Amino acid sequence: MNRPSRAFLWTTLLAGLALNASASQPSGEHLLDQGKWAPNTRHAIERLIAANSVPVNTPESKRPYASFDWDDTSIINDVTDKFFLYQIDNLAFKLTPDEFRKVLITNIPSKPGDTIAHSSDGHPLAFGALTSDLGNDYEFLYQNYISKPAGQRDAAIFSTDEFRDFKTKLYFLFQAIIDTHGAKVAYPWEVFFCSNMTEQDVEDLALSSVRHSLQAGIVKTTLESPHSRPGKTGVVKVSYVEGMRVVPEIADLMHTLQRNGIDVFVVSAGFEPLVKVIATRPEFGYNIPSNQVYGLRLETSAAGKYLAQAKKGHPISYREGKPEVIRKYIAPRREGRDPIFVAGDSNSDFGNFSMLPGVSLGLIVNHLSTGDFGRVSTEAAKTLGRPDARWVLQGVDENIGLWSPTESTTKVGDTQAYLVSPK
């Protein structure tokens, strides 16, 4: 009886191993551009795509889907925050002084005498003192600029102490509301200043804001209100990070998912029409269908103008509100199924990472979060590189507005990269 040679057996074994290895690896159609992905994170996502890919003509009810946060996940920085600053910088308001004063206090639990923050020298600041100073500043700016026809507006207004005081204290108040009452109160309030604008007004201003922020440097800016105009509040300081960047790796991931029959949705805590401006336009590279982008919504008047009122019946898409949006609008068309994949960066996304048991993999764009989401990030750090990891990390160099090819992140103004928050 002829026995196979050792060479034949060895060749057959090697061929079998190669076949098994190739079967366990994603094919080219499931692969992402290398970009600046952390290798372990990229491979985990590729395996997910390979395991869940379906033909693109699969009926909607049977297609798997993914849900992406927008700000600091799909882009670098925050589109609604940059819009608010751009709106202030251009005095792009359609409110009378009385209407402005009403918006300042809309849905804020603080009473006029309640402390809402502290001044630069540490003394408590009353909510009513801040709103009084801002109302007076706005009155001046309205009479001398906002109410005038475009051709009669003098750009010198932006050099006045009234404008400097207005910008600093309005953004300071926004941050104070976050610190005192939380983002679920502050995020809708931030967009209430779009009152009396139409959707087209907001889209036009948003497009200008996005283009401005994409051209601006990534830099931390500190504002200080003028000592010459203390008002009831005194001098205050507030900081923010200027600039914004698109993330080509996320755009490529979105396109790869869609090529493999996995639908892509955006569920953001930002104002929906602002997010749509950048998420849906081909010029910015994401090309998400408009009806697959969800965010904060406002009520509109009979004339089609926004009101300082959150849309009734529409969830505030923050924390537990994000899975609520998914279950209200998306899952019913998918036989009630959860997304297979979620992506987020902060406590705003904690609901998606804690309340959706059907999620197979979650991408954490690592901005060194603390709190609840910081604990999710710590869990991801403990399972780094493991094939069974449910959460994976992707690092960012915030100084240049680009991802890092590791799981670790360098914060703006720092040179040290960290895997989790050192705090």
Side-chain angles (χ1 to χ4, degrees):
M1 173 175 144
N2 294 329
R3 295 183 178 182
S5 68
R6 289 184 180 181
F8 175 81
L9 289 171
W10 185 245
T11 302
T12 302
L13 175 62
L14 288 178
L17 290 172
L19 181 62
N20 289 335
S22 64
S24 66
Q25 295 298 317
S27 67
E29 65 189 8
H30 306 131
L31 300 181
L32 301 171
D33 288 342
Q34 182 172 335
K36 286 179 171 283
W37 284 102
N40 286 328
T41 298
R42 178 166 58 91
H43 295 329
I45 295 173
E46 289 172 343
R47 289 194 297 270
L48 176 88
I49 296 172
N52 291 275
S53 177
V54 298
V56 293
N57 62 352
T58 299
E60 179 186 41
S61 64
K62 302 294 184 182
R63 290 198 298 269
Y65 67 98
S67 177
F68 287 76
D69 170 50
W70 192 255
D71 300 311
D72 270 325
T73 297
S74 300
I75 60 166
I76 301 294
N77 223 320
D78 187 308
V79 67
T80 304
D81 188 64
K82 297 311 119 197
F83 175 89
F84 186 44
L85 286 162
Y86 188 81
Q87 184 180 19
I88 296 169
D89 279 337
N90 290 274
L91 293 176
F93 300 94
K94 293 197 172 185
L95 298 162
T96 66
D98 285 344
E99 289 171 333
F100 180 82
R101 289 187 175 97
K102 289 178 181 177
V103 169
L104 280 174
I105 63 174
T106 297
N107 285 1
I108 304 302
S110 294
K111 297 177 182 178
D114 291 348
T115 296
I116 197 168
H118 290 81
S119 67
S120 298
D121 59 8
H123 73 267
L125 300 179
F127 179 59
L130 271 165
T131 56
S132 175
D133 286 356
L134 283 164
N136 292 335
D137 288 338
Y138 188 84
E139 183 93 42
F140 173 87
L141 298 169
Y142 183 83
Q143 297 297 339
N144 291 279
Y145 186 87
I146 296 170
S147 64
K148 294 183 178 294
Q152 297 178 26
R153 293 178 173 177
D154 187 352
I157 197 78
F158 298 104
S159 299
T160 63
D161 284 350
E162 287 84 355
F163 174 76
R164 290 174 52 216
D165 195 65
F166 175 74
K167 178 178 179 178
T168 305
K169 288 179 179 174
L170 186 55
Y171 197 75
F172 179 89
L173 178 56
F174 170 58
Q175 292 296 328
I177 293 170
I178 291 178
D179 293 341
T180 305
H181 300 297
K184 194 170 182 178
V185 173
Y187 286 177
W189 179 89
E190 186 183 23
V191 298
F192 286 167
F193 295 94
C194 293
S195 295
N196 294 336
M197 294 183 177
T198 64
E199 184 176 358
Q200 191 63 55
D201 291 334
V202 168
E203 287 181 4
D204 291 345
L205 189 63
L207 186 57
S208 296
S209 169
V210 167
R211 287 174 171 164
H212 167 80
S213 292
L214 289 175
Q215 295 176 64
I218 303 289
V219 59
K220 187 174 183 178
T221 298
T222 298
L223 304 175
E224 182 177 62
S225 62
H227 291 250
S228 61
R229 194 174 174 82
K232 294 180 179 180
T233 307
V235 175
V236 301
K237 290 183 180 179
V238 67
S239 298
Y240 61 89
V241 176
E242 182 63 277
M244 187 167 66
R245 299 293 182 267
V246 297
V247 180
E249 291 85 358
I250 286 286
D252 175 60
L253 169 56
M254 290 174 169
H255 301 158
T256 303
L257 288 166
Q258 291 174 103
R259 283 198 305 271
N260 284 278
I262 302 168
D263 289 335
V264 171
F265 292 86
V266 172
V267 180
S268 170
F271 191 25
E272 188 174 293
L274 307 184
V275 177
K276 283 184 175 182
V277 160
I278 187 169
T280 66
R281 289 174 180 257
E283 64 206 85
F284 301 117
Y286 299 92
N287 300 317
I288 302 301
S290 181
N291 64 354
Q292 292 176 202
V293 178
Y294 296 91
L296 293 175
R297 294 177 182 175
L298 296 182
E299 290 284 356
T300 54
S301 68
K305 296 182 179 180
Y306 286 117
L307 303 173
Q309 182 180 350
K311 184 76 172 176
K312 294 177 182 176
H314 181 73
I316 301 296
S317 43
Y318 175 78
R319 283 181 70 97
E320 66 278 1
K322 289 195 172 184
E324 191 177 348
V325 166
I326 289 170
R327 288 171 175 159
K328 183 180 179 70
Y329 299 112
I330 305 172
R333 304 202 307 267
R334 313 289 164 140
E335 300 176 339
R337 297 192 313 277
D338 289 337
I340 61 167
F341 174 86
V342 293
D345 75 289
S346 70
N347 284 309
S348 172
D349 304 296
F350 183 66
N352 277 355
F353 282 75
S354 61
M355 298 173 65
L356 297 173
V359 169
S360 297
L361 185 67
L363 168 65
I364 299 169
V365 178
N366 190 8
H367 288 281
L368 303 180
S369 288
T370 56
D372 289 333
F373 204 73
R375 288 191 287 274
V376 178
S377 298
T378 299
E379 183 182 337
K382 291 177 179 178
T383 59
L384 212 64
R386 281 174 40 178
D388 61 341
R390 192 179 181 207
W391 315 130
V392 291
L393 289 160
Q394 173 59 51
V396 181
D397 186 342
E398 294 184 0
N399 291 290
I400 57 175
L402 295 171
W403 278 8
S404 299
T406 70
E407 290 86 355
S408 298
T409 284
T410 306
K411 298 292 286 183
V412 169
D414 202 349
T415 58
Q416 176 67 46
Y418 296 94
L419 183 61
V420 295
S421 175
K423 296 180 181 179

